[in-house]
Amino acid sequence: MKFGLLSALATGALLATAASAFAAETYKIDKDHAWVNFAVNHAGWSTAMGKFRGVAGDIVFDQADVTRSSVKVEIDATSIDTNFTDRDRDLNSPDFLNTAEFPKITFVSTAVEKTGDKTGKITGDLTIIGVTKPVTLDVVWNAEQPRSWDASAIISGFSATGIVKTAEYGLGKVAEYGLGPDIKLMIEIEAQKQ
């Protein structure tokens, strides 16, 4: 009887440990290792590119069941950088991002699905200038390992791509200026396990 009870307790503890090893973990996006880049057709002459420098957010990542994962990101819209100060000023104006009234761009996931060993799709609500529309990102989980200079910092890295249709967000001036109409997103994120 004692052996049976001890065995059951040991088995229960082992299962609990195994379950916790695969439980969802929370990660904080490292603002110094986060790149939200974009590309847009520039009147057929070239592909204009830019990025947002101010990125923050949290990721809940369940490696065993990615459908239980989630993402919440906040971007400082005023941090837009297209390598030209005058253009950045225009993009902050009411004609485009209207950052005085809408200083933040947000993305909150609504569904995560697995498409391969390290690939998936994240669908979520993207809010730009007060308009919220669903967007789906193709995501690759690159790796998880400690930083070489700080073994206590466990980092997961993700790459994502997606398309934003500017007309859906009321960004009519984009097309008027010969841009787009679609904007391609290219995102690289390192996030630290909490």
Side-chain angles (χ1 to χ4, degrees), residues 145-163:
Q145 59 193 24
R147 291 217 188 274
S148 59
W149 61 91
D150 181 3
S152 67
I154 307 301
I155 308 298
S156 251
F158 303 88
S159 302
T161 57
I163 299 291

Side-chain angles (χ1 to χ4, degrees), residues 115 119-123 135-141 158-163 185 187:
T115 58
T119 60
K121 289 184 180 293
I122 299 176
T123 299
V135 167
T136 298
L137 302 174
D138 292 307
V139 181
V140 177
W141 175 42
F158 303 88
S159 302
T161 57
I163 299 291
L185 299 175
I187 302 165

Side-chain angles (χ1 to χ4, degrees), residues 20-178:
S20 67
F22 294 107
E25 300 280 358
T26 300
Y27 298 77
K28 185 161 289 297
I29 292 174
D30 179 350
K31 64 181 179 61
D32 297 325
H33 295 91
W35 296 269
V36 175
N37 304 304
F38 59 87
V40 60
N41 181 287
H42 186 225
W45 294 314
S46 65
T47 299
M49 297 186 177
K51 62 187 169 188
F52 290 96
R53 293 183 175 276
V55 182
D58 297 297
I59 299 169
V60 175
F61 183 39
D62 189 327
Q63 296 181 34
D65 181 2
V66 295
T67 63
R68 296 177 0 137
S69 302
S70 62
V71 178
K72 185 175 183 181
V73 176
E74 185 175 89
I75 297 169
D76 177 2
T78 68
S79 72
I80 194 166
D81 181 356
T82 64
N83 202 33
F84 183 40
T85 304
D86 290 349
R87 180 170 48 230
D88 295 343
R89 185 186 60 241
D90 289 344
L91 291 172
N92 275 284
S93 76
D95 284 341
F96 294 95
L97 293 176
N98 191 9
T99 58
E101 188 175 350
F102 303 103
K104 302 294 181 187
I105 296 169
T106 60
F107 177 83
V108 179
S109 66
T110 54
V112 180
E113 66 174 291
K114 185 174 183 175
T115 58
D117 286 345
K118 288 195 163 193
T119 60
K121 289 184 180 293
I122 299 176
T123 299
D125 292 329
L126 178 65
T127 302
I128 304 174
I129 61 171
V131 178
T132 303
K133 295 287 182 181
V135 167
T136 298
L137 302 174
D138 292 307
V139 181
V140 177
W141 175 42
N142 298 314
E144 179 168 295
Q145 59 193 24
R147 291 217 188 274
S148 59
W149 61 91
D150 181 3
S152 67
I154 307 301
I155 308 298
S156 251
F158 303 88
S159 302
T161 57
I163 299 291
V164 172
K165 297 187 176 298
T166 58
E168 293 182 353
Y169 292 90
L171 294 167
K173 291 284 185 181
V174 171
E176 286 181 31
Y177 278 76

